[in-house]
């Protein structure tokens, strides 16, 4: 009996010592080591890939998109449609899952896609104006019309075939911070006109902020909208 109790006590003691050692290693030493390495080698990424303006103020993250809309006419009207501020480059549509009352910089409460098929609402296999309201095709058609209307200027008319897919569809997460170079270039004339800048200046701005494929073969060329608009703001004040 004494041997049994003694063995049990030894086993409990060994278990508690193992628990204490593993808690210190896995709960203290390992997290501190990983955090230290991340801060030393990947300081920017470890802190959320923050983007700062010229004054050093954090204005967002390079990983999360932002919207650039005019203030609401009635701040208390939750149903009032957002109106894009046309002096800024616009991001992809932010059609996420539900309305957002916390982070007013982006109209999402959860990230995610609509899960609708590409032909949702299609008529005869095509997205047309006859698409049923609320379907993906109806959203795409409406978005395309808005892109054409917003970006056509006195000396530049946007053609329907020039509107890229990312101008009228949200990304899988609904939080994509980047747009295609084609969508950025499509907005150049409108941004130049709204800010009283030369088109060549804005074209150079887009070119300077176009990032190529990762490692030369992964992904697609892209333009980070927040970084581009920060540069645009600096240009308009220069």
């Amino acid at each position: 009996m004494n041997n049994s109790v003694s063995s049990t006590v030894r086993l409990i003691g060994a278990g508690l010592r193992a628990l204490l050692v593993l808690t210190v290693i896995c709960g203290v030493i390992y997290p501190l080591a990983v955090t230290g390495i991340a801060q030393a080698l990947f300081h920017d990424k470890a802190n959320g890939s923050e983007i700062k303006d010229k004054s050093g103020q954090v204005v967002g993250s390079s990983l999360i998109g932002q919207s650039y809309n005019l203030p609401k006419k009635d701040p208390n009207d939750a149903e009032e449609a957002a109106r894009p501020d046309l002096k800024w480059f616009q991001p992809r549509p932010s059609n996420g899952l539900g309305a957002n009352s916390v982070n007013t910089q982006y109209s999402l409460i959860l990230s995610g896609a609509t899960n609708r098929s590409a032909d949702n609402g299609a008529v005869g296999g095509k997205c047309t104006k006859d698409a049923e309201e609320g379907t993906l095709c109806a959203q795409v058609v409406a978005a395309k019309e808005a892109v054409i209307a917003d970006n056509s200027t006195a000396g530049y008319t946007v053609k329907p075939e020039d509107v890229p897919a990312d101008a009228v569809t949200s990304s899988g997460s609904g939080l994509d911070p980047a747009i295609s170079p084609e969508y950025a270039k499509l907005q150049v004339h409108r941004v130049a006109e709204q800010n009283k800048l030369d088109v060549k200046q804005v074209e150079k701005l887009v070119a300077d902020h176009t990032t190529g494929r990762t490692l030369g073969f992964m992904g697609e060329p892209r333009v980070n909208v927040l970084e581009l608009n920060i540069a645009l703001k600096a240009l308009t004040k220069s």
Side-chain angles (χ1 to χ4, degrees), residues 6-236:
S6 178
S7 297
T8 301
V9 170
R10 284 198 302 272
L11 288 173
I12 293 175
L16 291 174
R17 288 193 296 274
L19 175 62
L20 178 61
V21 170
L22 290 173
T23 298
V24 171
I25 292 174
C26 299
V28 179
I29 297 175
Y30 176 74
L32 287 176
V34 171
T35 301
I37 292 171
Q39 289 294 329
L41 301 180
F42 311 102
H43 180 75
D44 177 61
K45 292 181 173 60
N47 289 315
S49 299
E50 295 173 340
I51 295 180
K52 300 179 180 179
D53 60 16
K54 283 191 172 182
S55 67
Q57 181 180 357
V58 176
V59 294
S61 168
S62 63
L63 303 176
I64 301 176
Q66 293 187 15
S67 58
Y68 298 85
N69 296 325
L70 294 167
K72 283 188 172 185
K73 294 180 179 179
D74 181 2
N76 297 319
D77 185 3
E79 300 299 321
E80 182 182 335
R83 296 172 297 136
D85 189 343
L86 298 180
K87 71 178 182 180
W88 303 109
F89 283 94
Q90 294 295 315
R92 296 184 69 166
S94 58
N95 295 330
L97 304 176
N100 172 27
S101 59
V102 180
N103 176 15
T104 56
Q105 286 296 310
Y106 219 68
S107 57
L108 292 174
I109 194 167
L110 298 170
S111 70
T114 62
N115 286 332
R116 291 173 176 157
S117 63
D119 61 352
N120 176 245
V123 178
K126 296 181 179 180
C127 286
T128 68
K129 293 182 179 180
D130 297 325
E132 182 181 349
E133 186 177 355
T135 62
L136 180 62
C137 275
Q139 292 178 4
V140 168
V141 170
K144 191 169 187 177
E145 291 176 347
V147 167
I148 293 172
D150 288 346
N151 291 283
S152 294
T153 64
Y156 176 76
T157 301
V158 177
K159 300 176 182 177
E161 59 268 23
D162 292 337
V163 179
D166 63 307
V168 296
T169 57
S170 61
S171 63
S173 68
L175 294 168
D176 201 332
I179 57 176
S180 66
E182 291 74 23
Y183 187 26
K185 292 174 184 175
L186 183 145
Q187 301 183 60
V188 163
H189 286 79
R190 183 253 300 161
V191 170
E193 181 181 76
Q194 291 284 327
N195 291 281
K196 296 179 173 55
L197 296 170
D198 185 76
V199 171
K200 294 294 183 183
Q201 286 180 291
V202 183
E203 286 178 339
K204 184 178 185 304
L205 207 63
V206 171
D208 290 344
H209 288 82
T210 298
T211 304
R213 292 180 172 86
T214 304
L215 299 179
F217 68 93
M218 291 191 296
E220 294 293 333
R222 59 201 178 276
V223 180
N224 187 287
V225 181
L226 176 56
E227 293 176 352
L228 181 60
N229 279 332
I230 290 174
L232 173 63
K233 183 178 180 179
L235 181 62
T236 57

